[in-house]
Amino acid sequence: MTAERSNHDRTTAEPSGSTHVTGDRSIVAFCCRECAYAAADASANARTSLPPSVRLVLVPCTGRVSPLHLVTALAEGADGVMVAGCLLGQCHYREGNFNAVDRVAFVQRLLESVGVEPERCRMFTMSAGEPPKFVAAVKEMDRVIGALPPLQRHDTSMSEDAGDAAEPAKAAVRTRAATPAKAAAATRGAA
Amino acid sequence: MRAGVFICECGGNISGVVDVESLAGHARTLDGVVEVAVNQFMCGTEGRALIADAVEERGLDHVVIASCSPRFQGPTFERIARELKLGENAVAFANVREGCSFVHRDMPDKAQEKAKRIVEGAVARVRHQSDLPRQRTFLHRSVLVVGGGIAGMTAAEELSGAGLDVHLVEREQSLGGFMARLAKTFPTEDCAMCSLAPRLTSTAVDGHIHIHTLTEVDELTGPPGEFRVRLRHKPRYVSEACVGCGECIAVCPVKLPSHYDLGVCEQTAISRPFANAVPSTFAIEKKGWSPCKSACAVHTSAQGYIALVAEGRFEEAYRVASEPNPFPSVCGRICTALCESTCSRGEVDEPIAIAGIKRFVADTVGPTLPVQPAPVIHDDVVAVVGAGPAGLTCARDLAQLGYRVTVFEAQEVAGGMLRTGIPDYRLPHDVLQREIDQVLALGIDLRLGQRAGRDFTVDGLFDQGFKAVYLATGLQKSAEIELPGGDLEGVTRAVELLRELNLGGTPAVGDKVVVIGGGDVALDAARSVIRLQQQRGIDPDVTLVYRRTQVEMPANASELEEAREEGLKVEFLVQPVEILSESDDEDAAGPGQGPASRVTGIRLQRCKLGEPDASGRRQPVSVEGSEFELAADTVVFAVGQALVDDFAQGCEGLAIEGGQIRIDRETMMTTREGVFAGGDAAAAGFFTAIEAIAAGRRGAAAIHNYLRGERLLPVWNEVRDTARPSAEELDGIEIGQRVPMTMVDGLVRRADWAEVGKGYSAEEAVAEAKRCLNCAVCSDCGSCARACPSGAIDWDQRETTEEITVGAVILATGHRQFDAARKIPLGYGRHANVIDQGQLSRLLSAAGPTEGELFRPSDGAVPKRVFMLQCVGSRDVTSTGNAHCSAICCLFATLNASLIRQHYPDTEVTIGYTDLRAPGKAHEEYYRLVQERGVRYVRGRVGEILEEKDGSLRVHLEDTMTGRKHEEVFDLVVLSAGLEASDGTRDIARVAGVQTGAAGFIREDHPKLRPVDTQRTGMFVCGTAQGPKSIPDSIAQAKAAAARAIAMLSSGFTMTAAQVAASDPAVCIGCGVCETVCPQKAVVLTTGADAHSIVDPSICRGCGICAAECPTGAIQLGGFSDAEVLAEATLR
């Protein structure tokens, strides 16, 4: 699509962001469409009360969630991120949630290595028919993050442009990719 | 971007908690938003109109819907956007109901703030949402159904009913699968075949269903809608001319355990599993050629005549043995019998005495069959020069082809080397003469004492009107002895000695004789010398000297043994250095003093075996200083033979090279037009009688082709693969021994020229023939072809492959019964009266081998006490690795028990079960009913089953209710063997690339939601290939699988989904991670320098695993690109 901007909007737009809710925790929950998001819908339809800190992001499968998404969400405003998918062995695409488990574990090690509490990134599994498990997961995440101090971000200038959140991400990706991917490419070429 | 935000009140569900007007105000401040509207029910007619108007009036290109969860009304709004020509992916959703108002009712302030965040996220996201391409793909409106059991047939019928073309592939020779083997079915006890047969018939006549039996799927590639399939059709060897009369079964001599009857009875090599088989054409089980047939130079079907002898059908056996070979009696005696060296039975104990059996048949039947002159069909006359095995065989074959043949022979007797080279005690002259006479009786003109080059010339033959000449003059001259003393008196050549003897002379031999050589000729000479010495009244003294060991010796081992019995002395690893004479003692000048000096001895040298040479034989190497002398007055050399080329005089243009007539390998023609050659005279290398016969056959075929001017006959036989029993089959064979042939005692027989081996009696020949293992199954005896009234037997069929394209695939390859022999203590396969439920079904089937009578295998008695054991190979992780319940066994046993109780009220049936499971419809009621019929159910485990002397079985049983252990004796034990994936299921899973799970069953894509889909789009699974289940469940699943395929293919085309992965080749580095992780195999990597990934949108199901794994971001999931996900997940 064209990234055309309305001049009218530009002049009137306020800087947006989580600074409006200073003091409140902000948690992003990546939920798979088949199980976790369905469980969330079901608990909501039962009017189950939930802590307001957790905001849902729909993904087709937790296998879609990459470390990039988790790290960027934390870098760009979230105090915690959670990935909620199907029960292990019941992924609708076979093994996407196993991929997600591995990636969450990877991000936890990454956070730990830079002095950030690894529990800011968590994985949960549940079936579509287990709304209480979703509720428990959200409450658990809210409790854990609430007990932690706000996430300190030393460098907040990762993105000047609120409209294109993907740019720094892409840059990060390219940096990350440089070594192993090239090595892999070289191996293939040799083979 | 010109986005519109549409906020739904949801009749208060949202607006009751969130101030929607305030939210709208906030939305208006957001970058890119040009229109904001609020409505009570945005999903209603009014809401839709609102959106449509706004899109038109305000020129919106994107829409944000702030309402309920996208899982509810998402598709509705996406459809509206599509109708408004906004394309795919123009809508973003702000879930302010389930994501906000429903769960924060008690905190409106927080809810208000959160709703803003949610709308912000959706607006940020929608900016990155670009139109997604969808492709229209063509779908082949045809389906491959693999497996012709009840599931496969049902699916095929459903598909055909929807107008789709079906390729129904079955690896066995008939459709029907396991159901065709059942007696009755539970819980209704209706006959299995009665419900199967109509379906078999309707499948057979269905114009949409193409049935491929005896067919395997070798390859399955390509995208859904356009799968490319390579089918491999195995030959049936019976054409569609078969009328199903069954005459062939009556004459087939090969019996094997019946595949269809699960081994409870035998079947013949040509068979049809059951009367209603589809197709009804019989089929021959033929693995190739037996090793004996492959090894034979003329490819005699030795397994064929042996199978016939085993049945006492001697005349037919003789016809099989003599068809390719006019000298079966001769070959039964003197053939090198490579057939025996290669015989599979030799790997168990001793090879079959093939030659002995052949000799018996030929001697018994041969003389009794009158030979009629062959009708002359062609005007051309052919001359054969040389009446040895090659010449006579060529003459016979030509006569049988309808030619007039004249044979010219230089000697006064016919037979060539068979006559002059082999002593009487090994091949009696009358036996040879009888077979020669039978050849001549075809109307062949034999002229003895006619030597080419002396009495006539080849050129002259053409002048006389002969249209072709076959030269089979043999090698009549012995090679020179290149050894000091080779020309001494008393040094002779074996071939010359034997010729003199066989033409009625008495060769002069001394008292101490040394024979040099290790072949048949050397042994023949040595044994003849023993007899000559005995006749002269002296004690035989003959020493055979051979430069290698007994292992390398070309002569037959039994021949050597017989010679030793007659008193032959043998020196191995010894070679001659010099022949000594009287003059040597006086004159140190050595030999050559005068031809008259007589042999006194021979100087020999010991050898050891060195490295193998180019031919693979280990060459003898002389040992220095090991020379020794042996006294002898006669030295016989079995040296090579050479061509006497006087026949070439008067044959213009005939080339002789290296002591051989030069011939073309394909046409058998010499360098002279119309002149052919074979036998020893035109052989390259080592030649035997059977090789000469084979050459004669090739010559006849070549001459026929030449005279008729076209390739009518193959000159060389097309060789087929050699078939042998597997190592496991050989392991199962009881070790025995060859039936010994009566021999005249060594010391008695050396006194005369009578034949040494007396030959088999009829009983001995039959007993020996029964040892044959039927390596190739079909023995090539040809009985069926002779018996078939419609000429349907077709030996020329070959394995063929066929490529087809189909839109979808249904896998219905079924199960196999667990091999109960793996549970060793239960005795299956060892105790005759331990069988499994499948076998019991065959015995209880009215159409089965016993016509429904229950006879126990050991003695045919009706069992009075039957024990059935459940869960054999199911629910048994410890000893079989199978954790699963096979689902049908409780009812299968209950059914068979019920049938026994009704048919034999006096027979008690006990079922030992682990847990009795009868969850299907009417199954519990049926179980109760059968209990009332008197079947005893014991919850118990079996430790061991032992066989009593009378075949009864002692069962060690533990009652798991009471914990009591006891023993009971039963007449028959039936094991309920569990279900495992069939070999076909395992094979197709590999070929199709679908995953398998426990016990090899094909995994469905989702255990609840996609129970008949595999993880590969367009491939479905049904029946017991997916897991153990009953017949009704298999049928239901088959119909479900068919419905999935029909839904996919009914329109003939489809649009690929919008939400699929796509790879940017400019960014892709070709690492291949995406290809590895894709669960659908939708991603493939191109090859070459700029290798990059390509996603097939018709296969991709949009999970995005590849996009998350991609190290460069080259591969992105439509609608969930990194940009889209991150825009929503980060709020800055």
Side-chain angles (χ1 to χ4, degrees), chain B residues 254-275:
Chain B
V254 177
K255 308 289 188 290
L256 58 151
S258 164
H259 300 304
Y260 171 65
D261 289 309
L262 302 172
V264 298
C265 63
E266 289 186 326
Q267 68 167 72
T268 44
I270 186 166
S271 70
R272 184 174 60 184
F274 51 96

mmCIF file of all heavy atoms in Angstrom, chain B residues 254-275:
data_model
loop_
_atom_site.group_PDB
_atom_site.id
_atom_site.type_symbol
_atom_site.label_atom_id
_atom_site.label_comp_id
_atom_site.label_asym_id
_atom_site.label_seq_id
_atom_site.Cartn_x
_atom_site.Cartn_y
_atom_site.Cartn_z
ATOM 1 N N VAL B 254 2.919 -76.241 -8.571
ATOM 2 C CA VAL B 254 3.591 -75.515 -7.490
ATOM 3 C C VAL B 254 2.576 -75.141 -6.417
ATOM 4 O O VAL B 254 1.596 -74.458 -6.685
ATOM 5 C CB VAL B 254 4.288 -74.246 -8.026
ATOM 6 C CG1 VAL B 254 4.911 -73.462 -6.885
ATOM 7 C CG2 VAL B 254 5.332 -74.619 -9.049
ATOM 8 N N LYS B 255 2.834 -75.599 -5.209
ATOM 9 C CA LYS B 255 1.943 -75.298 -4.091
ATOM 10 C C LYS B 255 2.670 -74.410 -3.090
ATOM 11 O O LYS B 255 3.842 -74.620 -2.814
ATOM 12 C CB LYS B 255 1.519 -76.597 -3.376
ATOM 13 C CG LYS B 255 0.954 -77.670 -4.312
ATOM 14 C CD LYS B 255 -0.417 -77.296 -4.842
ATOM 15 C CE LYS B 255 -1.076 -78.434 -5.608
ATOM 16 N NZ LYS B 255 -0.422 -78.715 -6.904
ATOM 17 N N LEU B 256 1.948 -73.416 -2.588
ATOM 18 C CA LEU B 256 2.534 -72.555 -1.568
ATOM 19 C C LEU B 256 1.436 -72.200 -0.568
ATOM 20 O O LEU B 256 0.250 -72.344 -0.881
ATOM 21 C CB LEU B 256 3.142 -71.297 -2.192
ATOM 22 C CG LEU B 256 2.258 -70.382 -3.023
ATOM 23 C CD1 LEU B 256 2.776 -68.976 -2.934
ATOM 24 C CD2 LEU B 256 2.227 -70.834 -4.471
ATOM 25 N N PRO B 257 1.804 -71.737 0.626
ATOM 26 C CA PRO B 257 0.764 -71.368 1.591
ATOM 27 C C PRO B 257 -0.110 -70.274 0.988
ATOM 28 O O PRO B 257 0.393 -69.310 0.420
ATOM 29 C CB PRO B 257 1.562 -70.841 2.786
ATOM 30 C CG PRO B 257 2.920 -71.429 2.646
ATOM 31 C CD PRO B 257 3.156 -71.568 1.171
ATOM 32 N N SER B 258 -1.415 -70.428 1.105
ATOM 33 C CA SER B 258 -2.347 -69.501 0.472
ATOM 34 C C SER B 258 -2.259 -68.107 1.079
ATOM 35 O O SER B 258 -2.377 -67.940 2.290
ATOM 36 C CB SER B 258 -3.766 -70.041 0.633
ATOM 37 O OG SER B 258 -4.690 -69.021 0.363
ATOM 38 N N HIS B 259 -2.039 -67.105 0.247
ATOM 39 C CA HIS B 259 -2.020 -65.725 0.738
ATOM 40 C C HIS B 259 -3.409 -65.329 1.216
ATOM 41 O O HIS B 259 -3.572 -64.758 2.274
ATOM 42 C CB HIS B 259 -1.607 -64.754 -0.377
ATOM 43 C CG HIS B 259 -0.258 -65.029 -0.936
ATOM 44 N ND1 HIS B 259 0.859 -65.078 -0.142
ATOM 45 C CD2 HIS B 259 0.161 -65.286 -2.190
ATOM 46 C CE1 HIS B 259 1.916 -65.338 -0.891
ATOM 47 N NE2 HIS B 259 1.517 -65.474 -2.142
ATOM 48 N N TYR B 260 -4.392 -65.658 0.393
ATOM 49 C CA TYR B 260 -5.753 -65.231 0.709
ATOM 50 C C TYR B 260 -6.257 -65.931 1.965
ATOM 51 O O TYR B 260 -6.880 -65.312 2.827
ATOM 52 C CB TYR B 260 -6.662 -65.522 -0.486
ATOM 53 C CG TYR B 260 -8.125 -65.318 -0.197
ATOM 54 C CD1 TYR B 260 -8.625 -64.062 0.094
ATOM 55 C CD2 TYR B 260 -9.008 -66.400 -0.220
ATOM 56 C CE1 TYR B 260 -9.965 -63.871 0.365
ATOM 57 C CE2 TYR B 260 -10.351 -66.220 0.050
ATOM 58 C CZ TYR B 260 -10.833 -64.953 0.351
ATOM 59 O OH TYR B 260 -12.151 -64.770 0.625
ATOM 60 N N ASP B 261 -5.972 -67.240 2.071
ATOM 61 C CA ASP B 261 -6.464 -67.986 3.229
ATOM 62 C C ASP B 261 -5.517 -67.904 4.422
ATOM 63 O O ASP B 261 -5.602 -68.715 5.345
ATOM 64 C CB ASP B 261 -6.728 -69.442 2.832
ATOM 65 C CG ASP B 261 -7.955 -69.563 1.935
ATOM 66 O OD1 ASP B 261 -9.000 -69.017 2.313
ATOM 67 O OD2 ASP B 261 -7.848 -70.170 0.859
ATOM 68 N N LEU B 262 -4.613 -66.934 4.384
ATOM 69 C CA LEU B 262 -3.719 -66.653 5.497
ATOM 70 C C LEU B 262 -2.959 -67.900 5.951
ATOM 71 O O LEU B 262 -2.718 -68.104 7.139
ATOM 72 C CB LEU B 262 -4.499 -66.035 6.672
ATOM 73 C CG LEU B 262 -5.252 -64.747 6.333
ATOM 74 C CD1 LEU B 262 -6.153 -64.311 7.481
ATOM 75 C CD2 LEU B 262 -4.277 -63.616 5.994
ATOM 76 N N GLY B 263 -2.632 -68.746 4.988
ATOM 77 C CA GLY B 263 -1.773 -69.892 5.269
ATOM 78 C C GLY B 263 -2.479 -71.102 5.847
ATOM 79 O O GLY B 263 -1.823 -72.091 6.168
ATOM 80 N N VAL B 264 -3.799 -71.080 5.985
ATOM 81 C CA VAL B 264 -4.457 -72.264 6.545
ATOM 82 C C VAL B 264 -4.572 -73.381 5.507
ATOM 83 O O VAL B 264 -4.886 -74.516 5.846
ATOM 84 C CB VAL B 264 -5.849 -71.986 7.163
ATOM 85 C CG1 VAL B 264 -5.732 -71.016 8.322
ATOM 86 C CG2 VAL B 264 -6.821 -71.468 6.127
ATOM 87 N N CYS B 265 -4.352 -73.067 4.234
ATOM 88 C CA CYS B 265 -4.329 -74.106 3.219
ATOM 89 C C CYS B 265 -3.339 -73.675 2.150
ATOM 90 O O CYS B 265 -2.682 -72.640 2.294
ATOM 91 C CB CYS B 265 -5.731 -74.318 2.628
ATOM 92 S SG CYS B 265 -6.347 -72.865 1.775
ATOM 93 N N GLU B 266 -3.228 -74.486 1.104
ATOM 94 C CA GLU B 266 -2.268 -74.161 0.058
ATOM 95 C C GLU B 266 -2.964 -73.528 -1.137
ATOM 96 O O GLU B 266 -4.158 -73.701 -1.336
ATOM 97 C CB GLU B 266 -1.554 -75.444 -0.398
ATOM 98 C CG GLU B 266 -0.594 -75.984 0.644
ATOM 99 C CD GLU B 266 0.208 -77.156 0.110
ATOM 100 O OE1 GLU B 266 -0.340 -77.932 -0.692
ATOM 101 O OE2 GLU B 266 1.382 -77.285 0.500
ATOM 102 N N GLN B 267 -2.189 -72.816 -1.928
ATOM 103 C CA GLN B 267 -2.683 -72.339 -3.208
ATOM 104 C C GLN B 267 -1.676 -72.749 -4.272
ATOM 105 O O GLN B 267 -0.582 -73.199 -3.955
ATOM 106 C CB GLN B 267 -2.839 -70.813 -3.192
ATOM 107 C CG GLN B 267 -1.510 -70.063 -3.121
ATOM 108 C CD GLN B 267 -1.673 -68.580 -3.417
ATOM 109 O OE1 GLN B 267 -2.199 -67.829 -2.617
ATOM 110 N NE2 GLN B 267 -1.213 -68.176 -4.595
ATOM 111 N N THR B 268 -2.054 -72.613 -5.513
ATOM 112 C CA THR B 268 -1.132 -72.896 -6.598
ATOM 113 C C THR B 268 -0.474 -71.586 -7.048
ATOM 114 O O THR B 268 -0.955 -70.512 -6.713
ATOM 115 C CB THR B 268 -1.892 -73.539 -7.771
ATOM 116 O OG1 THR B 268 -3.109 -72.816 -7.960
ATOM 117 C CG2 THR B 268 -2.203 -74.983 -7.490
ATOM 118 N N ALA B 269 0.591 -71.723 -7.837
ATOM 119 C CA ALA B 269 1.301 -70.519 -8.278
ATOM 120 C C ALA B 269 0.401 -69.666 -9.165
ATOM 121 O O ALA B 269 0.459 -68.442 -9.141
ATOM 122 C CB ALA B 269 2.578 -70.896 -9.017
ATOM 123 N N ILE B 270 -0.440 -70.310 -9.964
ATOM 124 C CA ILE B 270 -1.455 -69.556 -10.711
ATOM 125 C C ILE B 270 -2.730 -69.655 -9.892
ATOM 126 O O ILE B 270 -3.098 -70.727 -9.414
ATOM 127 C CB ILE B 270 -1.656 -70.080 -12.152
ATOM 128 C CG1 ILE B 270 -2.617 -69.159 -12.919
ATOM 129 C CG2 ILE B 270 -2.136 -71.530 -12.181
ATOM 130 C CD1 ILE B 270 -2.611 -69.404 -14.423
ATOM 131 N N SER B 271 -3.365 -68.515 -9.667
ATOM 132 C CA SER B 271 -4.501 -68.569 -8.746
ATOM 133 C C SER B 271 -5.397 -67.359 -8.913
ATOM 134 O O SER B 271 -5.053 -66.374 -9.562
ATOM 135 C CB SER B 271 -4.003 -68.593 -7.298
ATOM 136 O OG SER B 271 -3.459 -67.337 -6.962
ATOM 137 N N ARG B 272 -6.559 -67.484 -8.301
ATOM 138 C CA ARG B 272 -7.471 -66.360 -8.110
ATOM 139 C C ARG B 272 -7.909 -66.479 -6.670
ATOM 140 O O ARG B 272 -8.332 -67.569 -6.250
ATOM 141 C CB ARG B 272 -8.655 -66.486 -9.067
ATOM 142 C CG ARG B 272 -9.603 -65.310 -8.989
ATOM 143 C CD ARG B 272 -10.681 -65.396 -10.033
ATOM 144 N NE ARG B 272 -11.487 -66.607 -9.868
ATOM 145 C CZ ARG B 272 -12.461 -66.961 -10.698
ATOM 146 N NH1 ARG B 272 -12.728 -66.234 -11.755
ATOM 147 N NH2 ARG B 272 -13.159 -68.053 -10.479
ATOM 148 N N PRO B 273 -7.789 -65.418 -5.866
ATOM 149 C CA PRO B 273 -7.969 -65.601 -4.425
ATOM 150 C C PRO B 273 -9.360 -66.101 -4.037
ATOM 151 O O PRO B 273 -9.491 -66.941 -3.163
ATOM 152 C CB PRO B 273 -7.687 -64.217 -3.845
ATOM 153 C CG PRO B 273 -7.750 -63.271 -4.996
ATOM 154 C CD PRO B 273 -7.380 -64.052 -6.194
ATOM 155 N N PHE B 274 -10.389 -65.571 -4.684
ATOM 156 C CA PHE B 274 -11.736 -66.024 -4.332
ATOM 157 C C PHE B 274 -12.641 -65.833 -5.540
ATOM 158 O O PHE B 274 -12.299 -65.117 -6.490
ATOM 159 C CB PHE B 274 -12.288 -65.299 -3.091
ATOM 160 C CG PHE B 274 -12.211 -63.797 -3.153
ATOM 161 C CD1 PHE B 274 -13.307 -63.054 -3.559
ATOM 162 C CD2 PHE B 274 -11.043 -63.128 -2.799
ATOM 163 C CE1 PHE B 274 -13.244 -61.667 -3.619
ATOM 164 C CE2 PHE B 274 -10.975 -61.732 -2.857
ATOM 165 C CZ PHE B 274 -12.078 -61.008 -3.264
ATOM 166 N N ALA B 275 -13.779 -66.462 -5.504
ATOM 167 C CA ALA B 275 -14.635 -66.535 -6.685
ATOM 168 C C ALA B 275 -15.062 -65.167 -7.196
ATOM 169 O O ALA B 275 -15.157 -64.947 -8.390
ATOM 170 C CB ALA B 275 -15.859 -67.389 -6.383
#
